[in-house]
Amino acid sequence: MAESKHSCIGQTFCDRICFWGETEPDTPAFIFRSKNGRYVLSRGDVLDLSSRFAFRLTELGVQPGDVVCIALPNCPERIIVDFGVHLAGAVTMNGQILSSDGQDIIESMCKSKCKMLVADPDQENGAWSICKQRFQVVSDSKHASVIKSKDVPSLVHLANCRTRKPESEFLTSLPSNTFISRSRKSSDIASIFATSGSTGYSKLVQHTHKALLLIAHRLRAITGISGKEDVSFTTAPLGWIGGFPAYFLYSGSPTVMIDDAVGGEADMLRFVWNIICDENVSFGGFASFQLIGILRRRDLWESAGKKLKKVLTGGQPLKKDCLEAIGHLTDSILNFYASTEIGAMGVVDLNESSKHDFKENMTGYPVQGVEIRVVDSELNEADGETRGEIIVRSETLTDGYIGDTGNMASFLTDGWFRMDDVGYVDAKGLLSVEGRSSDAIMHGAYILYPTWLEEKLDKCPGVEQLFIVPVPDKVLHQEICACVKRNDGSQSSEEDILNFAKAAITVNIPSTMNVVPKYVVFFETFPVTKTLKLNRKELAKLARERLQL
């Protein structure tokens, strides 16, 4: 049972959760797979359990509009917590943590004036274990603690969410009472996301219920995912815009994920393809490097007889190697050009008959309702296929960054947004993105701002100076290279520097988000500009030459 866009006008997440919870409530909504087996949340389960957690939140004093930071991996509990926060009328914020000292999540909670942190107190290297020394526990109970922190003055509670299986203590301990807030409007903030430049310089992006449901509507129109028969699989984190549960909220479609609180099997590619087959998945969401990894393992799929309707990918320009999946793993590949600030902006659909139209760096045609322009340094529209800066305009554009007025220059007065991308539009209207206009590195589906990593590695023993530059990679688009100038007499090796880097970055980062440099190149001097500033482009060129990439 799918609905038109107009039926969602004026609605909130609360309305959508209630609608699907009362419509064929036994229909699967979220299916989680792990090495321990299979766990299903039906539409009715989602409404029931989420409303019970919402009651607990109100008992703890959470008010409509309060920000709740959720530091949980993809798991059934994450769904219930996210939706429970919405049913309580509060605002969800993703509690990602990459820095080994937890400074990134601390800064995010401080900027957003967060009232509550939801975390698993038993998770090794989780948010609470990393950050607890920054908090004072005033009083403690089974399900929550009253806490204080000079670093996050607004923070009042830690809500415990134990995810260990098979006990599932959090889900089994929810109160019998339920609560559903009807106080929120579609124009109110629903969620705060962190941009994929999630390495210390992550920006907090706020989106309204209206904007997120419009993003979901566009995704349904593009993909064709519109009902309970359309099963999708994703590896994207739930707290990221790319993992936002759009297909369930808008269309009631089931989503299959890996329970990251438990983990998969040792052979993850086999594990993932077995899930695709077992759950009869039609739409598979993968990063390019994940798709290529499966494609190279012919032993997984050649005799399985399974083919997806569509592979959904994005976050980086599509790689030519991915096209081999067409006809073998999938009927077609949908490649998205998207951002946390706007959602899906461009898309290209390649199938057996159109894959010959592929060209390097293609990202797609504008999504309906989105305008894309390429402009020069004066923001005048570029002629023909001239390279320039990409700007975008859409009704789904965020109202701005929380606690970060320094980045507001990206928002132009007439509704356009500067993407920090460089590219061109061809005569057919196809957009190609060739890279970032800043120093940011396109590392797989994520964006790394090198300054943060440089600051982390600056204290490495034996290192006088260190700079991070991108180098080409056939799978991730760009890999991370550390260019190092050693102190006089230092014998620091590549291994020493990489070990230091691994210790400086939290160990629970998923491998797809790993920002430890792949390469280390030593220099006696670094190239500079005429004004004696570091010439990063020349340094990146020298690193490529040394590495023969």
Side-chain angles (χ1 to χ4, degrees):
M1 179 178 179
E3 296 186 297
S4 70
K5 172 188 175 185
H6 299 290
S7 66
C8 287
I9 290 177
Q11 290 198 340
T12 65
F13 282 16
C14 180
D15 297 323
R16 304 308 298 160
I17 296 164
C18 290
F19 175 82
W20 291 117
E22 296 163 357
T23 304
E24 301 182 27
D26 294 332
T27 301
F30 297 94
I31 301 166
F32 286 89
R33 297 287 299 265
S34 73
K35 60 187 177 184
N36 289 353
R38 184 175 189 260
Y39 188 96
V40 180
L41 287 171
S42 70
R43 294 174 177 178
D45 292 334
V46 170
L47 175 57
D48 175 55
L49 295 170
S50 299
S51 61
R52 288 160 61 187
F53 182 60
F55 179 81
R56 177 177 290 173
L57 292 175
T58 59
E59 291 288 286
L60 291 169
V62 172
Q63 298 292 315
D66 284 350
V67 176
V68 178
C69 178
I70 304 168
L72 297 171
N74 283 9
C75 58
E77 293 83 358
R78 174 74 192 236
I79 290 289
I80 300 308
V81 169
D82 275 15
F83 287 174
V85 170
H86 289 302
L87 292 182
V91 177
T92 60
M93 184 181 79
N94 187 37
Q96 64 188 20
I97 181 165
L98 302 185
S99 176
S100 59
D101 60 3
Q103 187 59 33
D104 44 2
I105 193 172
I106 293 292
E107 289 182 2
S108 294
M109 288 193 291
C110 185
K111 285 180 179 180
S112 63
K113 297 181 172 57
C114 180
K115 293 292 183 66
M116 175 182 284
L117 169 65
V118 183
D120 186 342
D122 301 330
Q123 182 186 358
E124 186 178 356
N125 297 309
W128 180 246
S129 67
I130 290 173
C131 297
K132 62 183 178 182
Q133 69 274 13
R134 311 280 284 270
F135 303 120
Q136 175 189 349
V137 177
V138 178
S139 62
D140 208 1
S141 67
K142 183 176 181 180
H143 303 304
S145 302
V146 177
I147 56 178
K148 289 169 56 177
S149 171
K150 64 179 181 179
D151 296 317
V152 190
S154 60
L155 199 61
V156 178
H157 283 103
L158 164 72
N160 296 326
C161 180
R162 290 182 167 86
T163 60
R164 187 172 60 190
K165 311 296 188 302
E167 295 88 347
S168 298
E169 180 183 311
F170 170 78
L171 297 177
T172 57
S173 68
L174 290 171
S176 57
N177 291 19
T178 62
F179 179 82
I180 298 174
S181 172
R182 298 292 185 178
S183 65
R184 305 301 280 166
K185 303 187 296 293
S186 64
S187 57
D188 289 329
I189 299 300
S191 298
I192 300 169
F193 301 92
T195 58
S196 61
S198 53
T199 46
Y201 285 84
S202 174
K203 298 183 281 291
L204 299 181
V205 178
Q206 53 189 337
H207 275 299
T208 64
H209 295 268
K210 178 182 178 182
L212 289 171
L213 288 175
L214 180 52
I215 288 171
H217 164 72
R218 290 175 177 172
L219 287 172
R220 186 187 74 161
I222 295 165
T223 62
I225 299 176
S226 59
K228 62 183 181 181
E229 299 82 12
D230 298 322
V231 181
S232 63
F233 171 82
T234 182
T235 58
L238 279 163
W240 288 50
I241 193 75
F244 157 64
Y247 304 119
F248 168 73
L249 285 169
Y250 203 90
S251 304
S253 302
T255 301
V256 183
M257 287 178 275
I258 295 171
D259 185 341
D260 289 328
V262 178
E265 298 173 357
D267 186 344
M268 280 300 294
L269 293 178
R270 180 178 296 279
F271 181 62
V272 166
W273 194 251
N274 285 344
I275 291 173
I276 298 293
C277 297
D278 294 346
E279 302 294 345
N280 196 26
V281 171
S282 298
F283 300 84
F286 303 104
S288 290
F289 64 89
Q290 293 169 327
L291 179 60
I292 291 171
I294 293 173
L295 187 61
R296 289 173 176 170
R297 290 282 304 276
R298 300 184 73 92
D299 60 303
L300 303 182
W301 51 265
E302 199 163 38
S303 61
K306 172 65 180 177
K307 190 162 60 170
L308 294 160
K309 287 183 180 178
K310 291 184 185 295
V311 163
L312 315 177
T313 188
Q316 64 181 100
L318 188 66
K319 298 296 181 184
K320 188 173 184 179
D321 289 350
C322 291
L323 301 184
E324 295 179 33
I326 297 172
H328 295 296
L329 305 183
T330 181
D331 291 330
S332 70
I333 296 176
L334 272 178
N335 187 64
F336 289 92
Y337 179 48
S339 75
T340 307
E341 291 88 349
I342 293 173
M345 300 173 291
V347 65
V348 62
D349 190 352
L350 295 172
N351 53 38
E352 195 66 53
S353 61
S354 64
K355 67 181 183 181
H356 305 291
D357 297 331
F358 172 85
K359 60 181 181 179
E360 293 293 336
N361 301 316
M362 69 187 306
T363 49
Y365 298 92
V367 170
Q368 185 173 5
V370 177
E371 300 172 79
I372 299 177
R373 292 170 56 194
V374 175
V375 298
D376 60 21
S377 59
E378 301 297 322
L379 299 181
N380 297 314
E381 192 150 7
D383 296 328
E385 297 189 7
T386 305
R387 274 68 175 165
E389 179 183 358
I390 298 169
I391 61 174
V392 179
R393 183 161 63 184
S394 171
E395 188 180 348
T396 58
L397 176 63
T398 177
D399 291 334
Y401 302 122
I402 294 176
D404 195 357
T405 56
N407 281 292
M408 294 307 291
S410 298
F411 297 83
L412 305 179
T413 55
D414 52 358
W416 290 91
F417 179 74
R418 307 177 77 158
M419 290 301 302
D420 191 32
D421 287 333
V422 173
Y424 66 93
V425 176
D426 69 14
K428 295 181 180 179
L430 177 70
L431 175 70
S432 293
V433 176
E434 297 185 325
R436 307 290 289 182
S437 55
S438 70
D439 297 322
I441 298 171
M442 300 175 71
H443 186 241
Y446 308 101
I447 297 169
L448 168 72
Y449 292 92
T451 311
W452 173 83
L453 192 53
E454 289 167 357
E455 290 172 354
K456 285 285 184 184
L457 303 185
D458 185 56
K459 299 179 177 61
C460 182
V463 172
E464 180 179 326
Q465 279 185 302
L466 181 147
F467 295 105
I468 299 295
V469 298
V471 292
D473 186 86
K474 291 182 179 179
V475 175
L476 294 176
H477 190 62
Q478 291 178 330
E479 256 298 355
I480 303 167
C481 176
C483 298
V484 177
K485 180 181 179 183
R486 287 178 283 212
N487 288 327
D488 290 342
S490 170
Q491 298 298 315
S492 293
S493 66
E494 176 180 349
E495 183 180 7
D496 294 333
I497 291 162
L498 293 179
N499 287 338
F500 184 88
K502 292 172 185 175
I505 300 165
T506 183
V507 296
N508 67 336
I509 298 178
S511 59
T512 54
M513 296 167 60
N514 189 353
V515 293
V516 173
K518 181 176 181 179
Y519 304 105
V520 176
V521 179
F522 293 101
F523 288 83
E524 294 295 324
T525 60
F526 292 126
V528 295
T529 65
K530 292 180 180 178
T531 57
L532 301 182
K533 293 181 180 179
L534 176 71
N535 189 331
R536 284 187 181 269
K537 286 184 169 54
E538 181 63 21
L539 182 59
K541 178 185 175 184
L542 293 173
R544 291 195 302 270
E545 291 173 354
R546 298 265 191 100
L547 295 168
Q548 298 183 344
L549 296 175

